[in-house]
Amino acid sequence: MGRGIWIRNGRVMDPARGIDRTEDILIRDGRIVPFSPDEAGKAAEEIDAAGCLVLPGLIDFHAHLAHRMTDTGVNPDLMALPNGITAAVDAGSVGTAGADAFVRNIIGGCETTIRLFVNVSAVGVATEQYPENPDPARFDEDAILAICGKHPDHILGLKLRLGKGFSPGLGLKPLIRAKEIARRAGRPLCVHLTNSEFPYADLLDRLEGGDILCHCFQGMGEHSILDANGRVGGAARRARARGVIFDAAVGRINYDLALVRKALADGFPPDVLSTDVVATSVYQRKLFHLLYVMSLFLALGLPLMEVVRACTAAPAALMRLGGRIGTLAPGAEGDAAIFRLRQGPVEFRDQYGHSAAGNLLLAPLATVKAGRTAYKRIDFEF
Ligand SMILES: [Zn+2]
């Protein structure tokens, strides 16, 4: 009885190693191992990936995964594994009240590698009917520090949502307090800002290296990362130079294609491509899943290598799992995904009626998670 999986003849793209070439991949005992024909001959499973794209298992860095805990939570494995995604991050669905259950039930119960940002509001985003309480007087610093200490590997940082729809009249107060707590916890802060009451510089100038601006291409209201001339503002460029992370999190209403185009034209691509997928948007035309977002950015002219980097090596490092996931380097987890780059016209639309015409769609064929075939389409190799 042989061991392992041999993925043959695929076009392997691995931004972590700067590789884009035809190569064979061997996975054994749950890990990528150096390829040798002898060892490959002993593999129990052989996948012919000729004409296909072989990527590290993809990472969705901004999703809502508190399945059966919140209104928005998708079933993580069902959202991820059939789409070549083998790791995902929850962006603040739960606060301290639900974090322990999230770690036990969601992280502990799924095959997908999952991490989370804990909402600074104790209840988190339990429902989309109304937002979490953003009053900094309610932030429970002791409870946040305790939960971060209890799950140091699983909790990546803190999450805060700001804007007229979330924190009306509170201005910068929730941000200043959340930054204080995040600093004490030694964690980054991930900030959602839409329909802002204040200029983006007021936020960006307060973020430090490692902090994250999600939905960085949102265009709701009068403020965005662009200045009055439609160029990426100085505050955004200074923040990027300090190591602040710009995550597209191209969810639902939280992006504007016209704004994305201006930012890309101004030499400001996102550091990370993610979805903000929730139960009501997954597998729906308006968002679908990460492969939709990746295909959209291909349509907007981002090179395939950069699109893949923004969903593999870049988020892996932010999950503090660089070299272990998001790469096909020997020694890494045995997570890989096989795709067909489907040619043919495809149109993407945002909520404002802007559209983008593309010619490529990343279509998933098979996913290997921790050395096991977790998904294979029936008409792939049958
Ligand atoms: Zn979100």
Side-chain angles (χ1 to χ4, degrees), residues 62-64 91 159 161 192 215 252 254 276:
H62 187 129
H64 290 280
K159 172 74 187 285
R161 293 204 295 179
H192 163 138
H215 315 302
R252 307 172 285 156
N254 297 328
D276 193 26

PDB file of all heavy atoms in Angstrom, residues 62-64 91 159 161 192 215 252 254 276, ligand 1:
ATOM      1  N   HIS A  62     -10.348  37.408   5.185  1.00  0.00           N
ATOM      2  CA  HIS A  62     -11.477  38.139   5.814  1.00  0.00           C
ATOM      3  C   HIS A  62     -12.769  37.430   5.454  1.00  0.00           C
ATOM      4  O   HIS A  62     -13.286  37.578   4.348  1.00  0.00           O
ATOM      5  CB  HIS A  62     -11.499  39.590   5.327  1.00  0.00           C
ATOM      6  CG  HIS A  62     -12.516  40.446   6.042  1.00  0.00           C
ATOM      7  ND1 HIS A  62     -12.201  41.661   6.609  1.00  0.00           N
ATOM      8  CD2 HIS A  62     -13.842  40.271   6.288  1.00  0.00           C
ATOM      9  CE1 HIS A  62     -13.278  42.189   7.165  1.00  0.00           C
ATOM     10  NE2 HIS A  62     -14.300  41.369   6.969  1.00  0.00           N
ATOM     11  N   ALA A  63     -13.256  36.620   6.385  1.00  0.00           N
ATOM     12  CA  ALA A  63     -14.505  35.897   6.160  1.00  0.00           C
ATOM     13  C   ALA A  63     -15.285  35.891   7.469  1.00  0.00           C
ATOM     14  O   ALA A  63     -14.779  36.335   8.512  1.00  0.00           O
ATOM     15  CB  ALA A  63     -14.210  34.476   5.701  1.00  0.00           C
ATOM     16  N   HIS A  64     -16.528  35.420   7.392  1.00  0.00           N
ATOM     17  CA  HIS A  64     -17.340  35.317   8.609  1.00  0.00           C
ATOM     18  C   HIS A  64     -17.744  33.864   8.794  1.00  0.00           C
ATOM     19  O   HIS A  64     -18.519  33.323   8.034  1.00  0.00           O
ATOM     20  CB  HIS A  64     -18.502  36.309   8.548  1.00  0.00           C
ATOM     21  CG  HIS A  64     -17.996  37.714   8.674  1.00  0.00           C
ATOM     22  ND1 HIS A  64     -17.674  38.262   9.893  1.00  0.00           N
ATOM     23  CD2 HIS A  64     -17.639  38.631   7.744  1.00  0.00           C
ATOM     24  CE1 HIS A  64     -17.181  39.478   9.708  1.00  0.00           C
ATOM     25  NE2 HIS A  64     -17.139  39.728   8.409  1.00  0.00           N
ATOM     26  N   ALA A  91     -13.141  37.664  10.634  1.00  0.00           N
ATOM     27  CA  ALA A  91     -12.845  39.077  10.883  1.00  0.00           C
ATOM     28  C   ALA A  91     -13.815  39.670  11.893  1.00  0.00           C
ATOM     29  O   ALA A  91     -14.654  40.495  11.558  1.00  0.00           O
ATOM     30  CB  ALA A  91     -12.879  39.845   9.573  1.00  0.00           C
ATOM     31  N   LYS A 159     -10.665  43.466  16.375  1.00  0.00           N
ATOM     32  CA  LYS A 159     -11.416  44.019  15.244  1.00  0.00           C
ATOM     33  C   LYS A 159     -12.326  45.142  15.727  1.00  0.00           C
ATOM     34  O   LYS A 159     -12.949  45.034  16.789  1.00  0.00           O
ATOM     35  CB  LYS A 159     -12.257  42.905  14.601  1.00  0.00           C
ATOM     36  CG  LYS A 159     -13.243  43.358  13.519  1.00  0.00           C
ATOM     37  CD  LYS A 159     -12.545  43.727  12.216  1.00  0.00           C
ATOM     38  CE  LYS A 159     -13.515  44.338  11.210  1.00  0.00           C
ATOM     39  NZ  LYS A 159     -14.408  43.391  10.585  1.00  0.00           N
ATOM     40  N   ARG A 161     -15.264  48.085  14.069  1.00  0.00           N
ATOM     41  CA  ARG A 161     -15.989  48.670  12.932  1.00  0.00           C
ATOM     42  C   ARG A 161     -16.368  50.108  13.254  1.00  0.00           C
ATOM     43  O   ARG A 161     -16.955  50.386  14.303  1.00  0.00           O
ATOM     44  CB  ARG A 161     -17.245  47.861  12.604  1.00  0.00           C
ATOM     45  CG  ARG A 161     -16.915  46.482  12.081  1.00  0.00           C
ATOM     46  CD  ARG A 161     -18.034  45.901  11.231  1.00  0.00           C
ATOM     47  NE  ARG A 161     -19.261  45.668  11.990  1.00  0.00           N
ATOM     48  CZ  ARG A 161     -20.377  45.188  11.428  1.00  0.00           C
ATOM     49  NH1 ARG A 161     -20.413  44.912  10.119  1.00  0.00           N
ATOM     50  NH2 ARG A 161     -21.459  44.985  12.165  1.00  0.00           N
ATOM     51  N   HIS A 192     -12.427  48.331  10.210  1.00  0.00           N
ATOM     52  CA  HIS A 192     -13.397  48.526   9.129  1.00  0.00           C
ATOM     53  C   HIS A 192     -13.878  49.969   9.252  1.00  0.00           C
ATOM     54  O   HIS A 192     -14.343  50.377  10.314  1.00  0.00           O
ATOM     55  CB  HIS A 192     -14.543  47.509   9.345  1.00  0.00           C
ATOM     56  CG  HIS A 192     -15.810  47.797   8.592  1.00  0.00           C
ATOM     57  ND1 HIS A 192     -16.527  46.804   7.959  1.00  0.00           N
ATOM     58  CD2 HIS A 192     -16.517  48.939   8.398  1.00  0.00           C
ATOM     59  CE1 HIS A 192     -17.612  47.331   7.395  1.00  0.00           C
ATOM     60  NE2 HIS A 192     -17.637  48.623   7.655  1.00  0.00           N
ATOM     61  N   HIS A 215     -11.483  46.365   3.769  1.00  0.00           N
ATOM     62  CA  HIS A 215     -12.344  47.083   2.807  1.00  0.00           C
ATOM     63  C   HIS A 215     -11.643  48.359   2.356  1.00  0.00           C
ATOM     64  O   HIS A 215     -12.245  49.435   2.319  1.00  0.00           O
ATOM     65  CB  HIS A 215     -13.705  47.437   3.423  1.00  0.00           C
ATOM     66  CG  HIS A 215     -14.341  46.321   4.182  1.00  0.00           C
ATOM     67  ND1 HIS A 215     -14.629  45.110   3.605  1.00  0.00           N
ATOM     68  CD2 HIS A 215     -14.754  46.219   5.479  1.00  0.00           C
ATOM     69  CE1 HIS A 215     -15.189  44.321   4.521  1.00  0.00           C
ATOM     70  NE2 HIS A 215     -15.255  44.956   5.657  1.00  0.00           N
ATOM     71  N   ARG A 252     -19.492  42.493  -0.698  1.00  0.00           N
ATOM     72  CA  ARG A 252     -20.810  43.095  -0.838  1.00  0.00           C
ATOM     73  C   ARG A 252     -20.756  44.588  -1.159  1.00  0.00           C
ATOM     74  O   ARG A 252     -20.308  44.973  -2.205  1.00  0.00           O
ATOM     75  CB  ARG A 252     -21.582  42.791   0.445  1.00  0.00           C
ATOM     76  CG  ARG A 252     -21.553  41.277   0.721  1.00  0.00           C
ATOM     77  CD  ARG A 252     -22.125  40.920   2.053  1.00  0.00           C
ATOM     78  NE  ARG A 252     -21.196  41.249   3.127  1.00  0.00           N
ATOM     79  CZ  ARG A 252     -21.559  41.472   4.373  1.00  0.00           C
ATOM     80  NH1 ARG A 252     -22.824  41.440   4.702  1.00  0.00           N
ATOM     81  NH2 ARG A 252     -20.652  41.722   5.285  1.00  0.00           N
ATOM     82  N   ASN A 254     -18.931  46.808   0.331  1.00  0.00           N
ATOM     83  CA  ASN A 254     -17.738  47.464   0.858  1.00  0.00           C
ATOM     84  C   ASN A 254     -16.591  47.576  -0.136  1.00  0.00           C
ATOM     85  O   ASN A 254     -15.432  47.459   0.233  1.00  0.00           O
ATOM     86  CB  ASN A 254     -17.285  46.769   2.135  1.00  0.00           C
ATOM     87  CG  ASN A 254     -18.329  46.885   3.225  1.00  0.00           C
ATOM     88  OD1 ASN A 254     -19.050  47.887   3.294  1.00  0.00           O
ATOM     89  ND2 ASN A 254     -18.443  45.877   4.058  1.00  0.00           N
ATOM     90  N   ASP A 276     -14.774  38.900   2.761  1.00  0.00           N
ATOM     91  CA  ASP A 276     -15.857  39.325   3.659  1.00  0.00           C
ATOM     92  C   ASP A 276     -17.116  38.481   3.413  1.00  0.00           C
ATOM     93  O   ASP A 276     -18.243  38.944   3.584  1.00  0.00           O
ATOM     94  CB  ASP A 276     -16.191  40.810   3.477  1.00  0.00           C
ATOM     95  CG  ASP A 276     -17.062  41.375   4.585  1.00  0.00           C
ATOM     96  OD1 ASP A 276     -17.024  40.827   5.695  1.00  0.00           O
ATOM     97  OD2 ASP A 276     -17.788  42.348   4.334  1.00  0.00           O
TER      98      ASP A 276
HETATM   99 ZN    ZN B   1     -16.361  41.603   7.459  1.00  0.00          ZN
END
